[in-house]
Amino acid sequence: MSSEPVILLKHLSKKYPIYDRPSQKLLELLTLRRRQFHREFWALNDLDLEVPAGSTVGIIGQNGSGKSTLLQIVSGILRQTRGDCLVKGTVAALLELGSGFNPEFTGRENVFMNGAIMGFTRGQIQDRLPQILEFAEIGDFVDQPVKTYSSGMFMRLAFSVAIHADPDILLVDEALAVGDVIFQHRCINRINLLRKAGKTILFVTHDLQAVTRFCDRAILLDHGRKLEDGTPEQVVQRYQALIFERESRAAGKGEFWGPVDQDTGLQIVNTIPFIHNRFGAGGAEILGIILLSTNGEVLNEMRENQEVQLVISARVNRTMEHPIIGFTVRDRLGVEITSSNSSYEGLHLPVAQCGDIITVGFRITVPRMRPGSYSISPAIAQGNIWEHTVEDWIDNALIINIADSGLVYGMMQWPVRVSYSVRRADR
Ligand SMILES: Nc1ncnc2c1ncn2[C@@H]1O[C@H](COP(=O)(O)OP(=O)(O)OP(=O)(O)O)[C@@H](O)[C@H]1O
Ligand SMILES: [Mg+2]
């Protein structure tokens, strides 16, 4: 696997003109575009990206953040307004429904047109046609206009064309979302084979689990800008934090801090960054876990002496006489560093009935710990600290970074205060 970039984007920007009224476009034409009647909208704004050969990069972001625009520029369908886009090698693109295929033409005609766009001769496509159609499994529909296809059928054909083109670079935009389960599995299989064969893949999706499972790296787009670029875990978490912040702002609730108020309660958290392993008797269900600063900002990093609050929400499915909510902290090797729970901290949660949502906030003054990444696993159980049944436990649901605050011997520093005395020898 070479580390030479096969996709290199520098200051990439894409501007769309926005006309508030159709007449404005006409006015512009009448003045031969000497006067401007439109607003400018930057769908991509000064984006830098380097993708080494053989890597799989996930691209995530909210609707309208510029993901599809980015793939369209890399695929050559769309041209940037500013900046550079260098792409080395053959590209096959599996873009959002509609682009690259003409709905009026039949499936077969579209295969030929698409193949031609990717640089294949008619003969080359003719040779591959049987395999393409076999994988797509669209049967007799191949001679029907594409506009009569269901979105799943359409995607199967498009995917089949893209993978049989044997490209160096594969661009995939939200393709897996539309296929049925069997087809999704086959697609994922194929994508894995392509990864193993050293192909470069850009993968746009709203499926955050898929990003952490398939990608070596991820980037987060927001309003056409690159907000984060790093490991899939780090980027997914930043995205979840961004959504959480926006949701709470939209709901007019910025207040997460303060004593636990029995009437109003802490704010319910409903974001779980990772669910890789989950178990429990099912009498309750963890809804969310988040780490907040004293100002209510979402944190993915903390440092020595910082005051933070870890908030965990859970919904009760069966009456719980003695609910306990807690967490376990592990280092990157999985070694348990510390744990705590409401009962251990002396808080007795009230009896909860089916449908109740319990939210617990743990205020913590961060001790000095070895810097690096740690995971937090939240849990809800019933009983007491000596004897309990786990109702729901999620391993490593939240990843946090501990910032470097100076030398640490071992795992952590105890809060030691040191004094001394010297008895001088008689001289
Ligand atoms: N032809 C166009 N004219 C004007 N604005 C456009 C045009 N195409 C896209 N946009 C705008 O550019 C922004 C980015 O669009 P894009 O399709 O890249 O978003 P996306 O991240 O793929 O979103 P989604 O998750 O919904 O697929 C959006 O705000 C969209 O409205
Ligand atoms: Mg899109």
Side-chain angles (χ1 to χ4, degrees):
M1 207 185 281
S2 136
S3 60
E4 188 196 344
V6 287
I7 300 174
L8 189 61
L9 311 180
K10 278 195 182 145
H11 307 298
L12 195 74
S13 304
K14 174 71 190 174
K15 179 180 77 173
Y16 285 115
I18 303 282
Y19 297 92
D20 292 325
R21 288 187 301 276
S23 59
Q24 291 180 330
K25 197 164 186 172
L26 187 66
L27 277 172
E28 255 187 28
L29 289 172
L30 289 174
T31 63
L32 300 174
R33 295 192 193 274
R34 275 193 297 264
R35 283 192 58 195
Q36 192 175 309
F37 289 92
H38 66 257
R39 287 183 290 122
E40 294 182 345
F41 176 80
W42 291 90
L44 285 179
N45 207 333
D46 203 20
L47 189 101
D48 289 333
L49 183 68
E50 224 176 271
V51 180
S55 56
T56 302
V57 181
I59 301 170
I60 58 176
Q62 286 180 295
N63 294 133
S65 54
K67 305 179 297 294
S68 300
T69 306
L70 175 63
L71 288 201
Q72 282 170 11
I73 293 175
V74 173
S75 76
I77 289 182
L78 205 63
R79 190 155 168 78
Q80 68 269 30
T81 315
R82 281 190 206 145
D84 298 322
C85 170
L86 298 171
V87 178
K88 271 190 219 160
T90 54
V91 180
L94 195 57
L95 298 181
E96 277 181 319
L97 295 181
S99 41
F101 272 64
N102 187 328
E104 301 298 331
F105 293 139
T106 67
R108 191 186 301 271
E109 286 162 344
N110 268 297
V111 170
F112 280 95
M113 280 180 1
N114 229 258
I117 293 171
M118 290 189 257
F120 289 100
T121 64
R122 234 189 134 71
Q124 284 170 320
I125 302 164
Q126 191 69 51
D127 290 344
R128 292 168 201 232
L129 194 62
Q131 297 145 9
I132 293 176
L133 297 182
E134 192 189 339
F135 189 88
E137 279 186 347
I138 53 168
D140 294 341
F141 270 92
V142 65
D143 291 311
Q144 297 295 316
V146 162
K147 65 180 177 195
T148 64
Y149 288 19
S150 72
S151 30
M153 284 162 60
F154 177 90
M155 208 24 106
R156 283 146 78 130
L157 187 61
F159 187 84
S160 189
V161 173
I163 54 166
H164 286 96
D166 191 29
D168 300 318
I169 300 170
L170 180 68
L171 310 175
V172 184
D173 194 346
E174 265 315 328
L176 304 182
V178 290
D180 59 33
V181 180
I182 299 169
F183 193 72
Q184 277 181 20
H185 279 257
R186 286 171 58 193
C187 289
I188 287 167
N189 238 341
R190 278 302 178 126
I191 291 178
N192 271 333
L193 287 176
L194 291 171
R195 285 187 67 184
K196 285 203 189 105
K199 309 287 181 181
T200 307
I201 303 171
L202 289 193
F203 187 48
V204 165
T205 184
H206 288 282
D207 179 350
L208 302 179
Q209 298 267 359
V211 173
T212 52
R213 237 178 303 146
F214 291 124
C215 301
D216 315 312
R217 172 181 159 202
I219 63 168
L220 170 61
L221 291 187
D222 190 49
H223 293 109
R225 291 179 185 275
K226 192 169 76 174
L227 211 59
E228 187 94 40
D229 185 340
T231 65
E233 283 77 12
Q234 179 192 343
V235 175
V236 163
Q237 199 152 304
R238 176 83 194 269
Y239 182 44
Q240 303 248 15
L242 185 81
I243 293 172
F244 180 80
E245 266 170 6
R246 293 205 174 138
E247 274 175 359
S248 19
R249 223 179 299 139
K253 298 172 197 155
E255 193 61 52
F256 307 107
W257 194 249
V260 177
D261 181 333
Q262 299 300 339
D263 293 321
T264 59
L266 286 159
Q267 182 172 340
I268 295 168
V269 186
N270 52 16
T271 156
I272 307 173
F274 303 106
I275 306 180
H276 287 158
N277 184 30
R278 180 173 202 164
F279 59 88
E285 182 186 338
I286 299 287
L287 293 180
I289 175 167
I290 204 156
L291 186 73
L292 301 171
S293 72
T294 44
N295 305 324
E297 292 154 340
V298 180
L299 300 174
N300 52 17
E301 182 170 88
M302 51 189 204
R303 56 181 59 251
E304 184 190 4
N305 284 331
Q306 192 177 359
E307 288 286 315
V308 297
Q309 179 159 241
L310 181 71
V311 185
I312 300 172
S313 296
R315 186 179 32 236
V316 173
N317 297 330
R318 290 193 285 270
T319 303
M320 290 176 84
E321 298 289 337
H322 302 288
I324 311 175
I325 288 185
F327 64 90
T328 290
V329 179
R330 295 202 189 94
D331 71 3
R332 68 189 165 78
L333 301 174
V335 177
E336 187 173 327
I337 305 300
T338 186
S339 289
S340 193
N341 61 60
S342 48
S343 174
Y344 184 77
E345 300 297 343
L347 176 75
H348 293 282
L349 296 173
V351 175
Q353 311 287 349
C354 176
D356 290 351
I357 294 176
I358 313 174
T359 299
V360 174
F362 297 89
R363 280 182 76 152
I364 300 155
T365 308
V366 181
R368 183 185 283 196
M369 291 169 67
R370 182 190 284 181
S373 103
Y374 290 81
S375 73
I376 305 183
S377 309
I380 178 162
Q382 162 145 249
N384 57 48
I385 51 173
W386 311 113
E387 210 180 327
H388 54 253
T389 321
V390 173
E391 302 292 355
D392 192 19
W393 173 297
I394 304 175
D395 265 333
N396 312 336
L398 183 70
I399 310 288
I400 47 156
N401 198 47
I402 303 255
D404 195 345
S405 316
L407 178 66
V408 180
Y409 296 120
M411 282 313 302
M412 67 173 295
Q413 191 189 8
W414 284 358
V416 175
R417 281 165 304 279
V418 55
S419 57
Y420 80 99
S421 84
V422 178
R423 181 193 283 185
R424 299 285 181 201
D426 295 338
R427 269 182 272 264

